Amino acid sequence: PPLPPEREHASALSLLAMLQREGRFLDFVQENVAAFPDADVGAAARIVHEGCRKVVHQYLTLQPVLPQGEGDQVTVPDGFNAQRIRLTGNVAGQPPYGGTLRHHGWVTTEVKFPSVSPAMEPRVLAPAEVELP
């Protein structure tokens, strides 16, 4: 029988739980920050960034899709992989294309997620915390 969605996607839910535990990621994105001063948002973003960066570096090895820097001129060859390179702007004609790199992209070269225990409830991304007197 097919797995329920929370079991099928347990690794993704586990990643969200780790980002919450280390960086309070979910708290940050669930908060409406529009009313807060920029300085407060920036201070919170530093904390979230530090914790989330730690999780990403612990479980994923990343590298840019293209090694050039943003703003550099690049050539997109004939037969390029459209999942790795997205063309924007005035796309006409046939490759090779010459253009300006706007974002170098990211690709994972290694994934090191821990296995998710069947005893864990994967839908619980962060338990409620109750402080007792």
Side-chain angles (χ1 to χ4, degrees):
L3 293 173
E6 64 272 12
R7 287 288 167 203
E8 182 180 348
H9 304 291
S11 291
L13 294 171
S14 176
L15 176 61
L16 278 176
M18 289 182 272
L19 291 169
Q20 171 63 21
R21 184 177 56 249
E22 295 296 331
R24 305 294 296 249
F25 174 75
L26 295 172
D27 293 339
F28 185 75
V29 298
Q30 290 294 100
E31 185 72 43
N32 181 359
V33 298
F36 291 102
D38 289 348
D40 291 351
V41 175
R46 286 189 188 283
I47 294 165
V48 173
H49 177 266
E50 181 180 327
C52 292
R53 189 170 196 264
K54 175 183 171 185
V55 169
V56 168
H57 286 179
Q58 184 174 358
Y59 296 105
L60 301 168
T61 303
L62 303 173
Q63 71 178 35
V65 171
L66 295 178
Q68 296 88 344
E70 294 177 8
D72 287 352
Q73 293 299 304
V74 296
T75 299
V76 179
D78 188 22
F80 71 96
N81 182 336
Q83 291 183 13
R84 289 180 170 249
I85 300 173
R86 178 181 24 201
L87 301 176
T88 62
N90 185 21
V91 181
Q94 297 297 315
Y97 299 108
T100 304
L101 183 63
R102 295 295 177 210
H103 187 272
H104 56 64
W106 291 109
V107 63
T108 17
T109 58
E110 185 178 12
V111 177
K112 302 170 281 203
F113 288 150
S115 59
V116 179
S117 167
M120 298 295 292
E121 170 58 66
R123 294 179 299 158
V124 177
L125 303 177
E129 296 178 17
V130 177
E131 183 177 341
L132 304 179

